[in-house]
Amino acid sequence: MEMSLFNIFDLLGTVAFAISGALAAMNRRMDLFGIFIIGFVTATGGGTLRDVLIGQTPVNWMHNLFYVYLIGISVIIAIIFRNKLEYLKKSLFLFDTIGLGVFTITGVETGIQNGLHPLISIALGGMTGAFGGVIRDILCNEIPVIFRKAELYATACIIGGLFFVIMHRYQVNIDVIYVVTSLIVIIIRLLAVKYHLTLPNFYPKSTKAD
Amino acid sequence: MEMSLFNIFDLLGTVAFAISGALAAMNRRMDLFGIFIIGFVTATGGGTLRDVLIGQTPVNWMHNLFYVYLIGISVIIAIIFRNKLEYLKKSLFLFDTIGLGVFTITGVETGIQNGLHPLISIALGGMTGAFGGVIRDILCNEIPVIFRKAELYATACIIGGLFFVIMHRYQVNIDVIYVVTSLIVIIIRLLAVKYHLTLPNFYPKSTKAD
Amino acid sequence: MEMSLFNIFDLLGTVAFAISGALAAMNRRMDLFGIFIIGFVTATGGGTLRDVLIGQTPVNWMHNLFYVYLIGISVIIAIIFRNKLEYLKKSLFLFDTIGLGVFTITGVETGIQNGLHPLISIALGGMTGAFGGVIRDILCNEIPVIFRKAELYATACIIGGLFFVIMHRYQVNIDVIYVVTSLIVIIIRLLAVKYHLTLPNFYPKSTKAD
């Protein structure tokens, strides 16, 4: 049962990142297979990194053909709704954030299941959440969005991860933990970008970044 | 016997990618060791990703010193024939395509040998084939060639992979499968680039990529 | 006892790369968590690649919370001394070189401990040493420093690695080997950059790199 919700969230993150990958690829006017490939790599990147780092190989998506179908369907949906081009960037950001939230939590969970220290599990969660989007942006030859719009990106992952660890220690029902902590990551990130919330800046105003 | 042809193809892809890496490095006027390193990473990248994803570690090239010698000799050959600079780009593309073809097939084979679903094996094959060239181009600070000249790139991998799966199911001699399917990938890709074949474009003509 | 010095060097490389990552992130005016993340990825990148390639998973830093604390402290130190901005680039290079030296040696050691051929162990060492800095520069959207200032970079790794292999064969005390070979890598690299030493250039002067 516990595994089942883990899998559902893994699939949810997969769908969100597949769509965000397909949108990014269409922004670059890639061909049909290019769109599918960027969608696939974005969707599987975070979970693949998580499994490789932890040593759970063959990696997760290889065991389950359902992922491939799901990514295919997600990409097709993204293509069908491509007309609303003016909303693409907003949608891309929304789906990227959902993928971030749920993959962060699957990463934290994987770490704790493997007996890793909570802090290290949170680090693993952050990597799992961020990697899909980073590899998507690198393949599209853009600066990763987390470096362009970094508003509380890592902060959101860390707070969500901390809540996961705390709720897990107090033996809250795992289904509740999943939903609550994923939402924490997603909501913090959405609010931060909407209201341009950032960490306090300690650089002097006079010097500029090159 | 089966393994032996797998190894021969792995070595053939290694030679092709080592040369393509050395050519790319010389295009960037790197020094001797830079040329060797880019050659090495390009040649071992695809197989390394394949082995890491599937969990066959230490990865393939680590078991076999012959790879290192072979890459060294391939790089030296590329250096000797560097004078024909005007042909470099064409050669780079040819060797990239040969590497793509044979590494795609070794990836599909590895997937099937590990009991993965045929579709997932084909995905693994595509990643194995593409990764060496992608990492070469990223290290040379160029947009990966598969995104610049994407003519039927993935299509070639998928068709070659499908033929591998089908011929494997009908128990065709494995040596025949290797040669035929690798050639399918290589020939489709060469013809596609020569005649600028692409998948049907569904973008409106008026909008432009930035 | 032998493992203990391995660990000390792994920690030393971790500190050096964490600082170099934090300096690079501050050069890009990233926020607090961005600085921590780039520091973390730079510090753990080389060792992570080493462990993944060899199949020692979960990777090294996951077993040891001390790494996370050490990286945190290193990053804080880098932030405190950020004022001396004019020295940042020089410091960045120095710490990058120390990380290169000690991580190269831990990579060679890991290869030999796993029964790999000496030449392959040296290749593994070079990858371990270089990867942290490469991933730092890619995430900061810069051309990796090893491709900009490549003065005897690989040469230093290879010579240090060769000395490691030779001294190991003659059963020199492992503590001595660690210190001597790391210093060999660091000193060769520092001298090469200071005096602009490069490998002999075999390109004709008339042609230019694009």
Side-chain angles (χ1 to χ4, degrees), chain A residues 188-205:
Chain A
I188 291 177
R189 178 84 173 117
L190 289 179
L191 289 177
V193 170
K194 186 173 175 63
Y195 296 107
H196 302 290
L197 304 179
T198 56
L199 289 178
N201 182 354
F202 60 83
Y203 296 101
K205 284 190 178 177

Side-chain angles (χ1 to χ4, degrees), chain A residues 148-162:
Chain A
R148 284 178 292 153
K149 292 201 172 189
E151 289 94 343
L152 303 192
Y153 190 94
T155 317
C157 294
I158 289 167
I159 293 175
L162 277 175

Side-chain angles (χ1 to χ4, degrees), chain B residues 124-152:
Chain B
L124 180 63
M127 291 181 190
T128 307
F131 192 70
V134 166
I135 203 169
R136 174 199 63 216
D137 295 342
I138 288 177
L139 290 180
C140 287
N141 203 34
E142 296 188 2
I143 304 174
V145 68
I146 68 169
F147 298 113
R148 284 178 292 155
K149 293 201 171 187
E151 289 94 342
L152 304 192

Side-chain angles (χ1 to χ4, degrees), chain C residues 36-207:
Chain C
F36 184 81
I37 285 170
I38 301 290
F40 188 85
V41 173
T42 309
T44 57
T48 297
L49 181 69
R50 177 195 66 211
D51 293 344
V52 164
L53 291 182
I54 214 81
Q56 286 181 341
T57 47
V59 298
N60 198 26
W61 61 265
M62 290 190 177
H63 298 299
N64 201 336
L65 190 62
F66 190 65
Y67 280 96
V68 178
Y69 292 137
L70 197 70
I71 293 170
I73 292 167
S74 308
V75 168
I76 289 168
I77 288 171
I79 291 174
I80 290 171
F81 290 101
R82 76 182 185 280
N83 288 328
K84 327 213 165 186
L85 275 166
E86 63 269 39
Y87 299 119
L88 273 191
K89 281 194 178 171
K90 230 175 212 171
S91 314
L92 176 58
F93 171 71
L94 179 64
F95 285 106
D96 187 76
T97 304
I98 295 171
L100 169 72
V102 298
F103 271 159
T104 296
I105 298 310
T106 69
V108 177
E109 161 83 349
T110 301
I112 286 174
Q113 290 293 340
N114 281 268
L116 300 181
H117 188 279
L119 272 185
I120 286 171
S121 301
I122 292 172
L124 179 62
M127 291 181 188
T128 307
F131 192 69
V134 167
I135 202 168
R136 174 198 64 217
D137 295 341
I138 288 177
L139 290 180
C140 288
N141 203 35
E142 296 188 1
I143 304 174
V145 67
I146 68 170
F147 297 112
R148 285 178 291 154
K149 291 202 171 189
E151 290 95 340
L152 304 191
Y153 191 94
T155 317
C157 293
I158 289 167
I159 293 174
L162 276 175
F163 270 87
F164 189 102
V165 168
I166 291 165
M167 291 169 85
H168 191 266
R169 187 157 293 171
Y170 285 97
Q171 302 185 314
V172 175
N173 177 285
I174 190 74
D175 291 10
V176 175
I177 299 182
Y178 262 100
V179 176
V180 170
T181 54
S182 297
L183 282 176
I184 287 173
V185 177
I186 294 169
I187 290 170
I188 291 177
R189 177 82 174 121
L190 288 179
L191 288 177
V193 170
K194 186 173 174 66
Y195 296 107
H196 301 291
L197 303 179
T198 57
L199 290 178
N201 181 352
F202 60 84
Y203 297 102
K205 285 189 179 178
S206 56
T207 56

Side-chain angles (χ1 to χ4, degrees), chain B residues 32-62:
Chain B
L32 266 179
F33 277 121
I35 297 168
F36 183 82
I37 285 171
I38 301 289
F40 188 86
V41 173
T42 310
T44 58
T48 297
L49 181 68
R50 178 194 66 211
D51 294 345
V52 164
L53 290 182
I54 213 81
Q56 286 181 342
T57 47
V59 298
N60 199 25
W61 61 264
M62 290 190 176

Side-chain angles (χ1 to χ4, degrees), chain A residues 68-85:
Chain A
V68 179
Y69 292 137
L70 196 70
I71 292 169
I73 292 167
S74 308
V75 168
I76 289 168
I77 288 171
I79 291 174
I80 290 172
F81 291 100
R82 76 181 183 282
N83 288 330
K84 326 212 165 187
L85 274 167

Side-chain angles (χ1 to χ4, degrees), chain A residues 42-119:
Chain A
T42 308
T44 58
T48 297
L49 181 68
R50 178 194 65 212
D51 294 344
V52 165
L53 291 182
I54 213 81
Q56 285 181 341
T57 48
V59 298
N60 198 26
W61 61 265
M62 290 190 175
H63 297 299
N64 201 337
L65 191 61
F66 189 65
Y67 281 95
V68 179
Y69 292 137
L70 196 70
I71 292 169
I73 292 167
S74 308
V75 168
I76 289 168
I77 288 171
I79 291 174
I80 290 172
F81 291 100
R82 76 181 183 282
N83 288 330
K84 326 212 165 187
L85 274 167
E86 64 267 41
Y87 300 119
L88 272 190
K89 281 193 177 171
K90 231 176 212 170
S91 315
L92 176 58
F93 171 70
L94 178 66
F95 284 105
D96 186 76
T97 303
I98 295 171
L100 170 72
V102 298
F103 271 160
T104 296
I105 298 309
T106 69
V108 177
E109 160 83 347
T110 302
I112 286 173
Q113 290 293 340
N114 280 268
L116 300 182
H117 187 281
L119 273 184

